[in-house]
Amino acid sequence: MSDTDTAPDETESTDDDTAAETETETDATTDGPRVRRYANYAVLLVLGLLAFVAVIQLYLSVSNAIRTWINPEYRSLFQAAFNLVVLLAAGVGISYQLRRLYG
């Protein structure tokens, strides 16, 4: 075999190595946004569960405080106002996280 026979073989293996490196770089580039999206979903899930538990405890505490401090004829009005505030706060938080995921 001559030197010219080995030269194309080296070039072919170099081309194969370059193609493999390009594939690896492409996979790494597409993994970043996917991992970020899954992390955002995980954050949304954890925040949702945390908010659920906190809202239940807060609701029970505020209901108890309303029963203690507010006259019976105004209790339903205060309960409704409190429920509205909780709903609006949850809506703002969820919409912010969904905008991060899809927008």
Side-chain angles (χ1 to χ4, degrees):
M1 284 198 188
S2 67
D3 290 335
T4 56
D5 290 338
T6 59
D9 291 338
E10 290 173 6
T11 308
E12 288 176 11
S13 66
T14 305
D15 290 342
D16 290 340
D17 292 342
T18 305
E21 288 175 10
T22 305
E23 277 185 31
T24 305
E25 289 174 6
T26 304
D27 290 343
T29 321
T30 58
D31 284 345
R34 188 178 334 148
V35 169
R36 188 175 303 127
R37 172 173 243 128
Y38 289 145
N40 279 329
Y41 281 127
V43 167
L44 182 62
L45 179 67
V46 168
L47 288 175
L49 289 173
L50 182 64
F52 180 72
V53 170
V55 164
I56 288 174
Q57 289 181 347
L58 180 66
Y59 180 81
L60 294 174
S61 296
V62 171
S63 294
N64 192 22
I66 288 173
R67 267 186 255 116
T68 302
W69 294 99
I70 304 298
N71 287 334
E73 64 259 9
Y74 299 114
R75 283 184 190 161
S76 62
L77 180 64
F78 277 86
Q79 287 284 155
F82 173 68
N83 289 339
L84 181 62
V85 169
V86 168
L87 182 63
L88 291 174
V92 167
I94 290 170
S95 68
Y96 173 75
Q97 187 62 26
L98 289 176
R99 247 186 264 139
R100 283 186 58 199
L101 285 172
Y102 298 113

